[in-house]
Amino acid sequence: MTLAFHLPLPKPSLPLCRSHDRLAFTFKPRAVQLSVDSPKPKFPPSSKTGVIIVGAGLAGLAAATRLSSESIPFLLLEAADAVGGRVRTDEVDGFLLDRGFQIFITAYPEAQKLLDYKALDLQKFYSGALVYYDGRFHTVANPLRHFVDSLKSLTNPIGTLSDKLLVASAIFRVLSRSDEVILTEDEVSTIDLLGRLGFSNSIIDRFFRSFFGGIFFDRKLETTSRLFDFILKCLALGDNALPAKGISAIPEQLAAKLPSDVIMLNSKVVSIEFSESNESNSPIVILQNGDVLKSEIGVIVAVEQPEATKLLAGTVADKLIEEKPARSTVCLYFSADPSQIPVQDPVLILNGSGKGIMNNMFFATNVAPSYGPKGKALVSVSLIGLFEDRSNDDLTAEVVSELSSWYGESTVRSWRHLKTYKIRFAQPNQMPPTDLMKDPRAGPGLYLCGDYQTSATFDGALVSGRKAVEALLRDRSLTRV
């Protein structure tokens, strides 16, 4: 059986392969997405193309990948100087610094379809965590991966014996459900779900708040139980990992598979409008420099939720984007001498003490040695919230003081602060009520994608991009022959 598309697909009038070649994003082997000074593209007045995608994060790149596979002409517009959106990596003094705490889970189903894991050279974490509580470190292990370690941890103070057995029960509970069922079933908050499953306050406060709170950027665990179940299933089936060349290797790999002349960087869209004179009945895209682009098939808005809200204000799509307080985070990086690293394992370390501002940390070069120059170690520390009342210097001093009580003052004060990232919108707030299967249609010829449309995960962003294109194709008469 083959699929035929009855679409008005004239060749785009925008001369993609001529004067704009020098403005297209090109991919050369490198360790990180470096900031470049790309000139702003100059388009002919009222340029046209098939589909316009606004935003080259994971959702926009997934949409572009699907369009490319169907040989449908498109342009991918990105306001920044590189692809990736929130999934970016910077190089500082030879270190690879991901913009915020980001971990890739290998069991993400959509990612498995789109990404070449071998080429990403994924470096794996220990399947579990090290929890700091009552002045000591205690292991919490995934019983499916580290059964012996999980047995040894049965009597530690991170929860009761009953709690440890309930962890295994909770894992088998989600493994018996399909992803679709998980993402659409009745929901409560994660904290309420944990209570209903019978977990004690001790394991909730000492483990779940820091572990899943670090994933959701939500220590109160108000996030929907649907997302908790989906993440728990993926953790049970896969590994936490980092690409050897930084988290930005994921969007870079997707972008590298696209035609070289379709990605336009430094191209900020300021308005999306509808025009009665537009024969294709698709929106018109206006860039910051005044250029106007017309789509002959449709426009896909793939920017993060706050930007989508601004961009579509006053349009038919305005009320389709639900606004909740953003999930924010602060991430601090330090360099260290390897002799001053107290933990040698590739493990996530959680603050289960109930004290201090730190939520979780890890020694990134223990996981991926390529994250630091030879003979140096990289320390990553994450906080939940934005801490707007504190300067970067004050936060650094507070974190150093806190970690000194864990590892010793002489050790921690030997570390050198590299950079602090304050990320206002780390991910969408997905506390109930939620709809993780939203219709991407937002108006005539206008489609939305992004993790706020599905699940607040890498996988959710990729799924949303594919679904936006599928909706566009259905609207433009997809037929089977």
Side-chain angles (χ1 to χ4, degrees), residues 52-64 67 76 86 299-305 307-308 312 321 438-442 446-455 460-471:
I52 298 173
I53 305 171
V54 182
L58 292 182
L61 289 166
L67 288 170
L76 180 53
R86 283 171 276 150
V299 173
I300 298 175
V301 177
V303 295
E304 62 186 25
Q305 186 177 7
E307 291 303 313
L312 299 172
I321 304 176
K438 294 184 181 71
D439 188 336
R441 297 174 180 85
L446 181 63
Y447 304 85
L448 304 178
C449 63
D451 55 3
Y452 67 94
Q453 288 286 106
T454 50
S455 66
L462 296 173
V463 167
S464 73
R466 170 177 58 81
K467 286 189 172 182
V469 172
E470 290 175 349

Side-chain angles (χ1 to χ4, degrees), residues 243-280:
K245 294 182 179 180
I247 203 71
S248 65
I250 294 173
E252 284 186 342
Q253 185 183 99
L254 292 171
K257 296 177 182 179
L258 300 173
S260 62
D261 53 4
V262 298
I263 302 178
M264 299 296 168
L265 302 178
N266 301 297
S267 301
K268 182 175 178 60
V269 173
V270 295
S271 179
I272 296 176
E273 301 177 1
F274 292 86
S275 173
E276 296 180 359
S277 62
N278 189 354
E279 296 179 359
S280 67

Side-chain angles (χ1 to χ4, degrees), residues 42-313:
K42 291 293 184 180
F43 300 97
S46 300
S47 298
K48 293 182 180 180
T49 188
V51 178
I52 298 173
I53 305 171
V54 182
L58 292 182
L61 289 166
T65 299
R66 182 58 193 275
L67 288 170
S68 182
S69 71
E70 304 293 349
S71 299
I72 295 174
F74 67 91
L75 274 181
L76 180 53
L77 307 178
E78 170 56 47
D81 57 11
V83 300
R86 283 171 276 150
V87 186
R88 294 283 300 272
T89 304
D90 297 317
E91 183 176 3
V92 177
D93 295 347
F95 292 92
L96 301 184
L97 309 185
D98 295 331
R99 295 185 182 179
F101 174 61
Q102 303 190 54
I103 291 181
F104 179 74
I105 304 177
T106 60
Y108 283 145
E110 192 76 10
Q112 291 177 340
K113 301 173 188 176
L114 291 177
L115 297 172
D116 180 347
Y117 283 11
K118 184 177 180 180
L120 288 174
D121 191 13
L122 296 171
Q123 308 292 298
K124 298 176 182 178
F125 283 77
Y126 175 85
S127 188
L130 203 59
V131 182
Y132 181 78
Y133 171 73
D134 196 24
R136 297 178 58 191
F137 292 93
H138 308 274
T139 298
V140 174
N142 180 344
L144 299 183
R145 300 298 182 87
H146 306 292
F147 183 68
V148 174
D149 287 352
S150 67
L151 288 179
K152 293 178 180 178
S153 68
L154 287 177
T155 58
N156 73 27
I158 311 304
T160 65
L161 176 60
S162 176
D163 287 324
K164 313 297 172 55
L165 299 176
L166 282 174
V167 169
S169 174
I171 290 173
F172 288 118
R173 168 182 162 271
V174 295
L175 289 177
S176 67
R177 291 171 163 85
S178 70
D179 294 341
E180 183 175 0
V181 168
I182 286 174
L183 296 175
T184 57
E185 63 188 351
D186 291 344
E187 65 178 337
V188 293
S189 66
T190 293
I191 188 68
D192 285 345
L193 174 66
L194 294 173
R196 292 184 185 186
L197 292 176
F199 286 105
S200 71
N201 287 335
S202 64
I203 196 169
I204 291 174
D205 292 339
R206 297 167 195 172
F207 173 72
F208 284 110
R209 287 193 189 278
S210 51
F211 187 82
F212 281 92
I215 294 173
F216 303 149
F217 302 113
D218 167 29
R219 281 190 61 89
K220 294 181 179 179
L221 300 179
E222 297 172 328
T223 299
T224 174
S225 56
R226 294 169 176 168
L227 190 56
F228 172 84
D229 283 348
F230 177 70
I231 293 292
L232 182 61
K233 181 179 179 179
C234 290
L235 289 171
L237 294 174
D239 293 294
N240 285 337
L242 292 173
K245 294 182 179 180
I247 203 71
S248 65
I250 294 173
E252 284 186 342
Q253 185 183 99
L254 292 171
K257 296 177 182 179
L258 300 173
S260 62
D261 53 4
V262 298
I263 302 178
M264 299 296 168
L265 302 178
N266 301 297
S267 301
K268 182 175 178 60
V269 173
V270 295
S271 179
I272 296 176
E273 301 177 1
F274 292 86
S275 173
E276 296 180 359
S277 62
N278 189 354
E279 296 179 359
S280 67
N281 198 36
S282 294
I284 293 172
V285 173
I286 301 174
L287 275 65
Q288 191 173 50
N289 64 3
D291 288 340
V292 177
L293 302 180
K294 295 180 179 179
S295 165
E296 296 174 323
I297 303 175
V299 173
I300 298 175
V301 177
V303 295
E304 62 186 25
Q305 186 177 7
E307 291 303 313
T309 300
K310 295 176 186 176
L311 199 57
L312 299 172

Side-chain angles (χ1 to χ4, degrees), residues 139 395 426 457:
T139 298
L395 281 176
T457 62

Side-chain angles (χ1 to χ4, degrees), residues 374-433:
K374 187 175 181 178
K376 292 292 183 180
L378 178 63
V379 186
S380 172
V381 179
S382 296
L383 320 177
I384 306 302
L386 204 56
F387 295 89
E388 292 184 285
D389 60 333
R390 294 174 174 88
S391 68
N392 287 354
D393 288 344
D394 288 341
L395 281 176
T396 300
E398 195 165 348
V399 165
V400 167
S401 175
E402 189 173 326
L403 289 178
S404 293
S405 68
W406 290 23
Y407 302 120
E409 187 170 352
S410 62
T411 293
V412 177
R413 293 198 179 277
S414 72
W415 300 352
R416 179 172 66 89
H417 177 250
L418 289 170
K419 190 174 178 66
T420 295
Y421 291 92
K422 285 188 173 182
I423 303 172
R424 182 175 299 277
F425 186 81
Q427 66 177 228
N429 182 331
Q430 294 197 319
M431 60 186 296

Side-chain angles (χ1 to χ4, degrees), residues 14-54:
L14 185 63
L16 299 180
C17 301
R18 298 204 304 252
S19 61
H20 297 283
D21 283 352
R22 64 186 177 88
L23 304 179
F25 192 82
T26 57
F27 296 87
K28 299 178 181 179
R30 61 188 184 187
V32 67
Q33 288 179 313
L34 300 177
S35 178
V36 295
D37 294 324
S38 299
K40 295 181 180 179
K42 291 293 184 180
F43 300 97
S46 300
S47 298
K48 293 182 180 180
T49 188
V51 178
I52 298 173
I53 305 171
V54 182

